[in-house]
């Protein structure tokens, strides 16, 4: 049985796992994200050592392929973390630094593109699609015939599209209105009640909280406009929703679907579904990329069926 170690660096926490070629997460952990690149590399090394000990205990061998994914603007081909506002880094040659620290090649990439790879290969989705992660920010991956568009790391950054702030006439980034982080902060501002995250806002809306319902409806309106624009530009590619919005479940995605349908006239309506692999999609995608780089043949779900 082949396996790889995957590490997904987030703005506040790092998720890691030992993942086999079938996409099964054999072990996983979450640790706080260190505040500097040198400390991050040390934590990566510690996590790799931990999962390799687990692999030995499972009879999977010692030195395993490693996949590392990070947020922000990422140039996969050059191995560079171009920019991350949350982690305060610019032009970090992360692939080379991680490879040097571990003493072996590291497969490096963007966290959301890894999620798209996992969903495409093992989530049963089409090989041409748009994967949209709605979390702390908003990012999208455009996948055509199994290949994601990268464009130096800037492709798919729909969260940076400029929209009119619903509370003013200012132009702001889409993710300041429609991301899970924005939903939580805008609800706190509207209601005077602090919440831990967008899930509480979704729950409040379901329970009849009018402020929560208004914030969510506005977020879905703005997100629907962005998805409708994408469909007009790319054609009706299937859209897969991941991140915090996917956790809200089918009721919220159904509302989003209806809003997109209202906006499209000539362009056919795309299918809009939720991610299949859930919170594990990015870990699984990072592991698959590492296994691919190591020469391990991993069939996708459609090939295996």
């Amino acid at each position: 049985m082949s396996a790889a170690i995957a590490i997904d660096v987030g703005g506040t926490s790092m998720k890691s796992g030992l993942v086999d070629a079938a996409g099964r997460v054999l072990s996983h952990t979450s640790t706080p994200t260190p505040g500097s690149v040198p400390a991050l590399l040390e934590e990566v090394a510690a996590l790799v050592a931990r999962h390799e000990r687990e692999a030995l205990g499972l009879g999977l061998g010692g030195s395993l392929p490693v996949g590392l994914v990070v947020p922000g603007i990422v140039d996969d081909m050059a191995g560079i973390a171009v920019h991350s506002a949350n982690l305060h880094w610019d032009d970090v040659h992360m692939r080379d630094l991680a490879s040097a620290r571990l003493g072996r090649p590291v497969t490096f990439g963007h966290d959301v593109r890894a999620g798209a790879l996992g969903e495409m290969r093992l989530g049963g989705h089409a090989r041409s699609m748009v994967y949209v992660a709605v979390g702390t920010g908003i990012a999208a991956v455009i996948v055509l015939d199994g290949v994601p568009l990268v464009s130096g790391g800037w492709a798919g950054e729909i969260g940076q599209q400029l929209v009119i702030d619903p509370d003013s006439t200012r132009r702001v980034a889409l993710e300041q209105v429609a991301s899970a982080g924005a939903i939580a902060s805008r609800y706190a501002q509207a209601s005077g009640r602090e919440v831990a995250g967008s899930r509480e806002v979704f729950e409040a809306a379901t329970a009849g909280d009018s402020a929560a319902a208004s914030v969510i409806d506005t977020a879905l309106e703005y997100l629907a406009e962005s998805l409708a624009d994408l469909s007009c530009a790319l054609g009706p590619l299937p859209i897969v929703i991941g991140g915090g919005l996917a956790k809200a479940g089918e009721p919220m995605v159904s509302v989003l679907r209806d809003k997109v349908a209202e906006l499209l006239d000539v362009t056919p309506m795309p299918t809009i579904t939720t991610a299949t692999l859930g919170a594990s999609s990015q870990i699984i995608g990072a592991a698959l990329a590492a296994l691919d780089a190591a020469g391990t043949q991993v069939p996708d779900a459609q090939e295996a069926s």
Side-chain angles (χ1 to χ4, degrees):
M1 179 172 61
S2 299
I5 296 167
I7 300 172
D8 174 18
V9 178
T12 57
S13 65
M14 296 172 60
K15 298 180 179 66
S16 66
L18 178 64
V19 183
D20 70 12
R24 293 175 296 192
V25 181
L26 305 178
S27 69
H28 62 88
T29 187
S30 179
T31 58
T33 301
S36 70
V37 172
L40 174 69
L41 294 170
E42 291 307 311
E43 182 65 16
V44 167
L47 290 170
V48 169
R50 168 179 176 162
H51 290 303
E52 287 196 329
R53 288 193 297 271
E54 294 168 341
L56 284 170
L58 294 171
L60 296 176
S63 183
L64 297 178
V66 176
L68 172 66
V69 296
V70 302
I73 308 302
V74 180
D75 188 336
D76 302 43
M77 298 300 293
I80 298 173
V82 177
H83 174 71
S84 173
N86 291 331
L87 294 171
H88 310 292
W89 62 36
D90 291 283
D91 296 323
V92 178
H93 290 250
M94 192 68 75
R95 181 178 61 202
D96 291 346
L97 290 170
S99 297
R101 177 61 186 85
L102 295 177
R104 75 183 81 167
V106 171
T107 304
F108 173 74
H110 185 254
D111 56 353
V112 179
R113 281 194 284 276
L117 175 65
E119 290 293 335
M120 181 189 71
R121 295 273 290 275
L122 297 176
H125 298 290
R127 288 177 58 79
S128 292
M129 67 173 184
V130 178
Y131 176 77
V132 182
V134 184
T136 304
I138 300 175
V141 181
I142 301 163
V143 184
L144 300 176
D145 293 328
V147 179
L149 299 183
V150 178
S151 189
W154 293 95
E157 288 299 319
I158 65 170
Q160 300 308 309
Q161 288 178 327
L162 293 178
V163 299
I164 302 298
D165 189 322
D167 298 326
S168 72
T169 57
R170 296 182 304 118
R171 291 172 70 83
V172 298
L174 173 66
E175 63 184 23
Q176 290 182 245
V177 180
S179 68
I183 287 171
S185 63
R186 292 174 69 85
Y187 173 71
Q189 183 177 12
S191 67
R193 183 167 74 89
E194 293 293 328
V195 291
S198 61
R199 178 175 293 184
E200 288 187 41
V201 185
F202 290 129
E203 292 171 350
T206 302
D209 186 322
S210 60
S214 177
V215 167
I216 290 171
D217 187 68
T218 298
L220 294 178
E221 287 275 3
Y222 277 64
L223 183 58
E225 289 184 11
S226 179
L227 298 183
D229 287 344
L230 274 176
S231 295
C232 290
L234 301 171
L237 292 177
I239 297 172
V240 179
I241 304 294
L245 183 57
K247 294 178 184 177
E250 176 58 26
M252 291 298 168
V253 175
S254 177
V255 173
L256 177 63
R257 195 181 291 121
D258 290 343
K259 290 181 180 296
V260 173
E262 290 172 3
L263 292 167
L264 293 176
D265 185 8
V266 177
T267 303
M269 176 67 187
T271 60
I272 302 177
T273 56
T274 55
T276 304
L277 303 179
S280 298
S281 62
Q282 293 177 185
I283 289 285
I284 292 171
L288 292 178
L291 288 166
D292 287 347
T296 300
Q297 297 296 314
V298 183
D300 64 32
Q302 296 179 47
E303 291 172 346
S305 61

